[in-house]
Amino acid sequence: MSAVSLKFRGALSRLDAPARRALADRVVEGADEIRGAVTRIVADVRARGDAALFELARELDGVALELLEVPAAEWQTALDETPQDLVRALERAIRNLEATHGAWRPRGIAIETEPGVLVGRRADPITRLGVYVPGGRAAYPSSVLMAAVPARVVGVGEIVVCSPPDRSGRPPALVLAAARLAGVDRLFAVGGAGAVAAMAYGTESVPRVDRIVGPGNAYVMEAKLQVATRVAIDAPAGPSEILIVADEATSPELIAREMVAQAEHDPRAASVAVIVGGASALEPIERALAEAVAGAERREVVEASLAAAGGLLLAADLDEAVIFANEYGAEHLLVALRDAYRLRDRFRVAGSIFLGPASSVAFGDYVTGGNHVLPTGGLARAYSGLAPEDFVRWTTYQQVTPRAAARLAPDVAALARAERLPGHALAAIAASGAGSTTLDERSSDDA
């Protein structure tokens, strides 16, 4: 069996500077032709609304749509026709997402910074969420659940889904079924950059949303970046990726299967394993990987992915592996060590950490209750995975009693005059003589 071609192989300590940079710099920049095409699509949808979307469906999806919105009755029909084993799996994923994200729901807090001065923060659900669900060659019902269920848990007013139509003129039946189970409000057979533009600006049919979340191809990502001054978006996203930290006691077959699972997503996906062990530690993994790739249903995609961004690297000790993992900032970090839970706090930079050999990333992709919408390309150093706080906006409120105002006014006036804003100074002084507002019916300094 022939060896698998990998972009990176060998000891971490022997990687030269260009190789380290290549491993770290995984953000996929939009090509000029993608950027230009998306700019034209966004402008056209903004100017012509539904008419532009119908044309895009004909040109890009090969379908002549009569309506952009898919009637809710069709979602129910799709659900009724879904095999029961799939329905059970979707329902299990929903239950766990509800439990996890319900526990994570943001909660407001107010504090009295000094007597008579109250400063609070309240989590208000956004009014309308836009969810992009990829389509084309495959159906992704899990992407519906990962966005819609947390949004419903926190009380988002309306959840709108856009997903490209197949040759039938509708998104895949599994997407429709998932939308019904997840509590989606409206669903449109609209895909690509046009869908993002429609949700950002609104058309005659597609309502304008407050935030757009969900994965997509390079055109979708570029469109989200272009409309980000008009609507909030989730973290910039690129091809899927995994970093596995293991040792010589970890099953080579398990490591190989996890690498193939991520590589089958996309020819640009990154699958890298760092093994703590001796010079011969990589050999059994290479053999297992060759066998797994040879039997992969999406072999061509897997081979292209491993050749472009795959790696088997050797760490002299656990400390070196941890340092590299935190530099790499993987979307998925699988710590395939028997004492992984004890080590969890040493791994600081990842979209989601999977602890222990049994904690396959595939479980997190579907049913654990964690979210699979995660930062890629090393952006985990600044971004987090999709969570309930992404579906709320924070409102700050403040209250000052007259007695507290009198105490605050001199310092405020001094600072305002130093900044040459005398009106601010006068406003603070005037407020100190205001009425009898109290905190919670009774100010602490009036007690």
Side-chain angles (χ1 to χ4, degrees):
M1 188 174 296
S2 59
V4 174
S5 176
L6 295 165
K7 177 73 171 178
F8 309 99
R9 188 192 185 284
L12 278 171
S13 60
R14 294 183 180 177
L15 289 177
D16 59 18
R20 299 285 291 216
R21 285 195 297 271
L23 276 162
D25 187 11
R26 304 182 306 282
V27 175
V28 178
E29 301 287 349
D32 289 342
E33 59 268 25
I34 291 178
R35 191 174 300 113
V38 169
T39 299
R40 290 189 293 272
I41 290 171
V42 170
D44 192 30
V45 171
R46 186 179 184 186
R48 298 195 301 122
D50 283 1
L53 296 177
F54 282 117
E55 285 185 16
L56 287 168
R58 286 193 294 272
E59 295 171 11
L60 302 180
D61 302 309
V63 293
L65 299 177
E66 294 182 3
L67 294 172
L68 298 175
E69 186 165 7
V70 181
E74 294 188 21
W75 314 2
Q76 185 62 51
T77 298
L79 179 58
D80 293 341
E81 296 175 354
T82 300
Q84 283 304 300
D85 61 334
L86 283 175
V87 173
R88 285 193 300 271
L90 290 169
E91 290 175 338
R92 183 176 199 165
I94 289 171
R95 286 195 304 272
N96 288 342
L97 282 165
E98 288 173 338
T100 302
H101 291 73
W104 292 347
R105 186 168 51 232
R107 289 166 174 83
I109 189 170
I111 66 166
E112 210 172 346
T113 56
E114 61 182 81
V117 181
L118 182 77
V119 181
R121 195 170 186 240
R122 184 185 71 222
D124 293 326
I126 62 175
T127 301
R128 183 180 291 126
L129 174 71
V131 180
Y132 187 82
V133 177
R137 291 173 295 181
Y140 297 98
S142 60
S143 292
V144 179
L145 307 187
M146 295 290 166
V149 174
R152 179 165 51 77
V153 165
V154 302
V156 168
E158 186 176 32
I159 302 169
V160 175
V161 168
C162 283
S163 189
D166 57 23
R167 293 297 180 179
S168 72
R170 295 286 186 262
L174 270 178
V175 169
L176 302 184
R180 168 58 73 198
L181 289 172
V184 170
D185 294 291
R186 301 181 71 181
L187 190 148
F188 295 86
V190 181
V196 174
M199 290 189 284
Y201 296 105
T203 72
E204 297 90 336
S205 297
V206 182
R208 181 178 180 178
V209 304
D210 303 311
R211 188 181 187 96
I212 301 173
V213 302
N217 63 17
Y219 290 87
V220 170
M221 191 63 251
E222 176 62 29
K224 287 164 74 174
L225 292 173
Q226 289 193 18
V227 302
T229 58
R230 299 285 180 164
V231 62
I233 65 170
D234 50 5
S240 188
E241 55 190 40
I242 186 173
L243 177 66
I244 303 167
V245 176
D247 59 20
E248 293 181 270
T250 310
S251 162
E253 290 74 21
L254 183 147
I255 295 170
R257 288 299 176 189
E258 292 291 338
M259 291 179 70
V260 168
Q262 293 305 310
E264 72 179 356
H265 274 289
D266 189 297
R268 299 173 301 166
S271 300
V272 176
V274 175
I275 311 302
V276 180
S280 62
L282 301 185
E283 295 173 7
I285 301 168
E286 287 185 308
R287 291 193 295 270
L289 187 58
E291 184 175 347
V293 171
E297 187 173 333
R298 294 168 60 84
R299 179 174 178 174
E300 290 184 5
V301 174
V302 171
E303 289 179 332
S305 169
L306 293 174
L312 283 176
L313 302 170
L314 196 63
D317 52 34
L318 181 61
D319 289 342
E320 186 178 30
V322 169
I323 290 170
F324 177 77
N326 289 332
E327 290 176 357
Y328 191 85
E331 176 190 18
H332 307 101
L333 173 61
L334 172 58
V335 184
L337 303 170
R338 283 174 293 189
D339 55 352
Y341 190 81
R342 180 180 61 82
L343 299 169
R344 68 192 186 282
D345 290 343
R346 297 190 64 188
F347 296 94
R348 309 293 295 178
V349 185
S352 188
I353 304 174
F354 297 79
L355 298 169
S359 301
S360 173
V361 170
F363 294 137
D365 281 343
Y366 295 108
V367 297
T368 62
N371 209 292
H372 78 196
V373 181
L374 302 166
T376 62
L379 292 175
R381 64 185 183 273
Y383 288 91
S384 305
L386 202 64
E389 55 264 30
D390 293 301
F391 306 107
V392 303
R393 53 173 300 279
W394 291 94
T395 302
T396 301
Y397 56 91
Q398 305 175 47
Q399 185 181 15
V400 179
T401 64
R403 189 174 297 181
R407 294 197 314 272
L408 297 178
D411 284 346
V412 171
L415 290 168
R417 288 172 180 139
E419 293 187 353
R420 297 184 180 180
L421 296 171
H424 285 62
L426 293 173
I429 292 168
S432 65
S436 59
T437 303
T438 60
L439 300 182
D440 297 326
E441 303 301 327
R442 176 169 162 265
S443 170
S444 60
D445 63 334
D446 288 332

